[in-house]
Amino acid sequence: MRLLVLLWGCLLLPGYEALEGPEEISRFEGDTVSLQCTYREELRDHRKYWCRKGGILFSRCSGTIYAEEEGQETMKGRVSIRDSRQELSLIVTLWNLTLQDAGEYWCGVEKRGPDESLLISLFVFPGSSRPPMQLDSTSAEDASPALSSGSSKPRVSIPMVRILAPVLVLLSLLSAAGLIAFCSHLLLWRKEAQQATETQRNEKVCLSHLNHRTSELDPDEAFEISSLTFLSV
């Protein structure tokens, strides 16, 4: 019995961790998934491939895609594969996933004897079950003041402010010009009123002074002076 275990172990050891990569991948319908299968140095020049696991009693590959020369990308339908030998990795990309893409796949490397392979399970969920996108704490804090201020007071967009700015400046200049004209007219009116008041005051002083002088003269002279004053007025 121990001998059988040792023989089975010897068969398994050559391919142990020959390929490394994700064991399970979960995505939603319509997504694009990219994965890497890394291999050991001794497998650098061997041919790599990607295929879907099929079969019921015996496993087999279906829809196999082989990687071309170093760095060249191979496309087949919605699947692309590229062998990066410098990085010792096989890069596989599946575009626009559908529910039918869910299943088990192999990253494989051809060699003498059994191929080296890594089994990867792909789970595809309906796009309708995708959770809604949520803002992180930072963006939520930044958005909350804007929402609170917007609920209490309407905000004017920046383009509208840029449009209204020249109009507001023009209205301000017109208001200032009108105020200056009004103040100038008011000062002129006050000056004219002061001059008229001063003229009336001088006339009253002259009349009072003249009346005082005529009271000191003879009646005939006073009558002549009054006549002259009346004619001058």
Side-chain angles (χ1 to χ4, degrees):
M1 183 66 180
R2 182 176 297 178
L3 180 62
L4 292 176
V5 173
L6 291 175
L7 290 175
W8 182 252
C10 291
L11 291 175
L12 292 180
L13 283 177
Y16 182 71
E17 292 183 354
L19 287 172
E20 294 182 353
E23 296 181 356
E24 293 182 356
I25 299 177
S26 299
R27 292 293 187 273
F28 287 94
E29 187 179 10
D31 288 349
T32 296
V33 60
S34 183
L35 58 95
Q36 288 187 358
C37 299
T38 57
Y39 49 83
R40 296 184 304 188
E41 175 67 29
E42 57 267 25
L43 300 176
R44 176 193 295 270
D45 297 327
H46 290 254
R47 195 180 188 189
K48 288 85 177 178
Y49 60 88
W50 169 267
C51 68
R52 184 166 187 167
K53 180 182 177 182
I56 300 176
L57 297 178
F58 299 97
S59 298
R60 59 180 179 83
C61 269
S62 62
T64 305
I65 306 176
Y66 291 96
E68 300 296 335
E69 297 179 0
E70 163 67 19
Q72 293 186 359
E73 187 175 29
T74 304
M75 293 284 298
K76 185 176 182 181
R78 294 178 290 105
V79 182
S80 66
I81 183 174
R82 181 170 61 89
D83 183 15
S84 177
R85 297 182 181 180
Q86 293 182 353
E87 299 177 357
L88 299 178
S89 65
L90 181 67
I91 303 171
V92 182
T93 303
L94 290 83
W95 309 85
N96 194 18
L97 293 175
T98 64
L99 297 178
Q100 290 72 26
D101 292 329
E104 294 180 320
Y105 295 83
W106 272 311
C107 268
V109 180
E110 290 183 344
K111 69 180 188 66
R112 290 184 180 180
D115 292 349
E116 302 290 358
S117 61
L118 173 66
L119 185 63
I120 300 175
S121 299
L122 175 62
F123 300 94
V124 181
F125 301 99
S128 57
S129 62
R130 185 192 301 271
M133 295 181 62
Q134 297 180 354
L135 297 175
D136 55 11
S137 58
T138 305
S139 58
E141 291 177 359
D142 294 340
S144 58
L147 293 176
S148 61
S149 61
S151 60
S152 60
K153 190 181 297 184
R155 299 183 64 185
V156 181
S157 61
I158 293 178
M160 184 61 67
V161 172
R162 291 180 178 176
I163 294 174
L164 293 178
V167 179
L168 295 176
V169 172
L170 181 60
L171 290 177
S172 301
L173 293 176
L174 291 176
S175 300
L179 183 61
I180 292 173
F182 175 75
C183 292
S184 299
H185 182 73
L186 182 61
L187 291 175
L188 182 61
W189 178 78
R190 290 186 61 183
K191 185 176 181 180
E192 291 178 353
Q194 289 178 357
Q195 289 179 354
T197 304
E198 188 69 24
T199 303
Q200 292 178 0
R201 185 181 300 172
N202 293 335
E203 289 178 353
K204 289 180 179 180
V205 171
C206 290
L207 289 176
S208 61
H209 182 69
L210 185 59
N211 291 332
H212 178 71
R213 291 287 303 274
T214 54
S215 63
E216 296 178 353
L217 297 174
D218 295 336
D220 295 336
E221 294 178 354
F223 177 76
E224 291 178 0
I225 294 175
S226 298
S227 299
L228 293 174
T229 303
F230 175 75
L231 291 174
S232 63
V233 173

